[in-house]
Amino acid sequence: MGHIDLAMAVFPSGTKGTCLDCLARRPLWNVGLNYQHGTGHGVGSFLNVHEGPCRIAAGNRFSKYEMGLKKGMILSNEPGYYESGKFGIRIESLVEVAETEIGPENGRFLTFKTITMAPIDRKLIDTKLMSESQIGWLNDYHMIVREKVSEVFEQQGKSNEVKQWLQDQTCPL
């Protein structure tokens, strides 16, 4: 749920990722849990994986050098939860900071556009714990994944079995 809450965020240009981190952590915090890693990091400005100048993380470590989010930046959205020696889970996507229609023309608010095109595993989803807006976001995301990945599957001549798997994984909740 935190992954989706962060993906749906709307914020002013220049907002630092440390201000958005709590959106991803809130569902865990509400039940007394947390994770000990950053929620997201910059990707690709110098062809590295973990790089600044932007990030999404708790606290103020490095915040002196942290750059506010701007249209076109690419970051990861990867909240997770781990219990040492037992299990771990992390849903990770890349997101692009994109402009919305909200706000004045010379100061539009921003949001995240998920650019990773992979279905979120349905075995991880419990709709009883999700809000209508979270379910709506996931259904919309899965429709985009279905459309874009289906085109690639067609071009690559993938089997009907593979195509059916994609249909099954991206059908509405």
Side-chain angles (χ1 to χ4, degrees):
M1 293 181 302
H3 181 92
I4 293 172
D5 289 344
L6 183 61
M8 294 190 310
V10 176
F11 49 92
S13 181
T15 298
K16 291 186 176 184
T18 49
C19 294
L20 300 174
D21 183 76
C22 62
L23 298 174
R25 294 176 189 270
R26 183 187 56 83
L28 289 172
W29 287 353
N30 285 346
V31 294
L33 301 172
N34 198 9
Y35 52 92
Q36 302 306 311
H37 59 83
T39 299
H41 53 80
V43 177
S45 109
F46 292 100
L47 301 178
N48 291 312
V49 175
H50 293 88
E51 61 183 53
C54 55
R55 69 190 185 102
I56 303 170
N60 53 13
R61 192 179 64 131
F62 305 122
S63 63
K64 177 173 144 182
Y65 305 105
E66 180 184 3
M67 176 180 236
L69 300 175
K70 296 183 182 191
K71 180 181 171 183
M73 288 179 161
I74 307 290
L75 297 101
S76 64
N77 174 359
E78 52 181 298
Y81 180 72
Y82 301 88
E83 288 199 12
S84 185
K86 295 181 181 177
F87 67 90
I89 181 172
R90 188 184 303 205
I91 298 174
E92 183 170 348
S93 295
L94 293 183
V95 295
E96 177 183 1
V97 179
E99 196 171 76
T100 69
E101 296 297 317
I102 299 169
E105 280 191 42
N106 64 347
R108 296 278 191 219
F109 277 50
L110 303 174
T111 192
F112 294 115
K113 175 184 169 191
T114 302
I115 58 176
T116 298
M117 291 291 115
I120 294 176
D121 191 335
R122 299 174 85 78
K123 290 178 269 177
L124 304 175
I125 300 168
D126 184 349
T127 56
K128 290 180 241 137
L129 300 174
M130 298 172 72
S131 68
E132 285 185 36
S133 62
Q134 290 168 333
I135 292 170
W137 181 92
L138 187 56
N139 285 337
D140 291 346
Y141 171 68
H142 276 163
M143 286 308 296
I144 294 167
V145 169
R146 177 187 287 192
E147 291 168 10
K148 292 183 182 265
V149 175
S150 289
E151 289 175 21
V152 173
F153 282 1
E154 282 298 321
Q155 293 168 358
Q156 294 177 344
K158 295 290 182 187
S159 70
N160 286 336
E161 183 181 0
V162 171
K163 294 175 189 173
Q164 186 59 53
W165 171 85
L166 180 63
Q167 297 296 313
D168 294 344
Q169 295 304 306
T170 58
C171 65
L173 298 175

